[in-house]
Amino acid sequence: NAGVTQTPKFQVLKTGQSMTLQCAQDMNHEYMSWYRQDPGMGLRLIHYSVGAGITDQGEVPNGYNVSRSTTEDFPLRLLSAAPSQTSVYFCASSYRTEGSPLHFGNGTRLTVT
Amino acid sequence: TQLLEQSPQFLSIQEGENLTVYCNSSSVFSSLQWYRQEPGEGPVLLVTVVTGGEVKKLKRLTFQFGDARKDSSLHITAAQPGDTGLYLCAAAFAGGTSYGKLTFGQGTILTVHP
C-alpha cells in the first residue's frame, strides 16, 4: 500500500503566487487533515475533513483553502503565498474512531521568497 | 486553544544513558499518542494511551499516562544511536471530536551519541 502520498516534495514560490499541495490516501480513511511544521512549534492543524464534502478549520487556517470531493484526495490551496507560509506541510489521515493513529505523508517543504 | 507542553525541547546524551520526555496540559486528555519522526519523513505512531495510570512498554521505551489524564511521559532505557529523532506527543482533548483532531506538543529533538 502506498499509504499517504504528498506531492510535490519541494516547492519554491514567490510572494503572491498561488499553488496547490496534493494529498492522496489509499486506506479508505474518512478523516484527513493538513498540518504545518515549524521549528520549535510542533505540528499545527490547518484544515481537516471528516468525510467527502465536509471540511473545517483548524488552528491556523488563514491563507489556505481546502476541498474534499472524494474520500481519497484532500488538496491544500495557497491563495496568495506569503513568506510566513514558508514551512513543511504534512497531510495525515485516519479512521473516524477514538484514538485512531494518524498516518502521515512525507511532507512538502515550501519556501516563499 | 488547548496547549500541550512538551519538555525538554532538546536532549543530547551518550549511548547507554536513560532519558525521559514529558508532556503536560492543564486540560484532560481523552487519549494521548506518541510519535517519532525522522528527517525528511512524516511522524510515525509509537503508542496510544487511553486509560489514566496506564503504562505501556515497547522494547526499551516505556510510556506512562498520568492518573488524572493531564500528563504523560516517555522513558527510554539504555538509549542507542538508532533512537535519535524527533519525538512528539499528541493529545485528543476530552469533550471534543477527538478522532484525528490532535494537538501536538512542540517536540523533543533527541540525539544519542555513540
Side-chain angles (χ1 to χ4, degrees), chain B residues 33-84:
Chain B
Q33 298 174 351
W34 285 92
Y35 290 81
R36 179 166 175 259
Q37 184 180 15
E38 300 202 33
E41 298 181 4
V44 175
L45 181 74
L46 293 172
V47 77
T48 301
V49 286
V50 178
T51 305
E54 184 175 6
V55 177
K56 284 192 173 180
K57 293 195 174 187
L58 188 64
K59 296 182 180 178
R60 294 175 293 101
L61 278 61
T62 301
F63 304 86
Q64 286 192 290
F65 200 17
D67 291 338
R69 293 191 292 147
K70 292 184 178 182
D71 61 275
S72 181
S73 65
L74 157 60
H75 182 80
I76 301 179
T77 304
Q80 299 176 359
D83 295 326
T84 293

Side-chain angles (χ1 to χ4, degrees), chain A residues 9 31 33 35 37 40-43 45 48 50 57 59 90 94-102 104-106, chain B residues 1 9 30-31 33 35 37 40-43 45 48 86 88 92 97-107:
Chain A
K9 195 164 180 63
Y31 181 91
S33 54
Y35 285 87
Q37 186 172 38
M41 301 188 75
L43 289 153
L45 183 64
Y48 65 99
V50 298
Q57 297 181 348
E59 181 185 354
F90 286 97
S94 74
Y95 291 112
R96 280 186 63 178
T97 53
E98 174 72 36
S100 290
L102 286 174
F104 286 87
N106 283 333
Chain B
T1 301
Q9 190 172 354
S30 58
S31 64
Q33 298 174 351
Y35 290 81
Q37 184 180 15
E41 298 181 4
L45 181 74
T48 301
L86 173 66
L88 294 155
T97 51
S98 60
Y99 52 81
K101 193 179 177 182
L102 300 176
T103 297
F104 281 82
Q106 302 95 321

